[in-house]
């Protein structure tokens, strides 16, 4: 059971003007920290459902390699879907669909040492914007997070039952979102 979702109508439609193009679905998290492996497990499940993915959709098991993800995004993806745990105070296993938008995260700390083992989605997106400012490249036009409320992110292997039970529903949310993103006609 995944619990109530704050967005019962499903993922939002992509903004107007987004045509077909490459979409990256990235599973983020540390499989050695229990529920933090949710994003990685969801992308693995999606890989097993490969024929259901629309053309142009790529899957990436990022794990804790957020810097690698930021550099890869500069290669030119129209849409990014991050899959990760998101603590918002709901019951464990609750799924969230968050439209982050293309801009940099609003709350950013100043420059400092980069901890590559603590790369949450906001940190990855901030790094992506910093890299883009310095090196160029193409930023995604749409950024979404499919998040799951964790129960336990302490040391250990394997997802807790409520989070493990949310993986298939999260994969369905990702598939729905990427299908909608690839079906919106491109402006001429």
């Amino acid at each position: 059971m995944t619990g109530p979702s704050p967005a019962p109508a499903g993922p939002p439609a992509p903004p107007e003007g987004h045509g077909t193009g490459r979409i990256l679905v990235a599973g983020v998290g540390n499989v050695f920290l229990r529920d933090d492996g949710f994003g990685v497990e969801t992308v693995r499940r999606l890989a097993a459902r490969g024929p259901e993915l629309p053309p142009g959709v790529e899957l990436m098991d990022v794990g804790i390699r957020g810097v690698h993800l930021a550099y890869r995004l500069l290669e030119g993806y129209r849409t990014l879907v991050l899959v990760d745990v998101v603590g918002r105070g709901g019951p464990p296993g609750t799924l969230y669909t968050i439209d982050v938008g293309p801009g940099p995260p609003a709350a950013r700390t100043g420059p400092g040492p980069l901890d590559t083992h603590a790369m949450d989605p906001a940190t990855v997106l901030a790094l992506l914007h910093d890299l883009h400012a310095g090196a160029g490249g193409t930023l995604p036009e749409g950024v979404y997070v499919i998040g799951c409320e964790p129960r336990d992110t302490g040391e250990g292997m394997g997802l807790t039952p409520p989070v493990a039970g949310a993986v298939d529903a999260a994969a369905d949310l990702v598939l729905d979102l990427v299908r909608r993103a690839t079906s919106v006609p491109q402006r001429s």
Side-chain angles (χ1 to χ4, degrees), residues 18 46 54 62 73 82-83 86 104 109 119 129 134 146 152 183 187:
H18 284 218
L46 282 164
V62 175
L73 286 169
L82 292 169
V83 185
V86 175
T109 58
M119 297 289 286
H129 282 82
I146 301 295
D152 179 4
S183 69
R187 283 188 192 171

Side-chain angles (χ1 to χ4, degrees), residues 21-48:
R22 294 190 327 159
I23 296 173
L24 181 63
V25 178
V28 180
N30 187 335
V31 296
F32 297 109
L33 297 177
R34 303 279 312 194
D35 289 339
D36 196 43
F38 167 79
V40 172
E41 180 57 32
T42 302
V43 166
R44 286 182 186 156
R45 204 75 59 92
L46 282 164

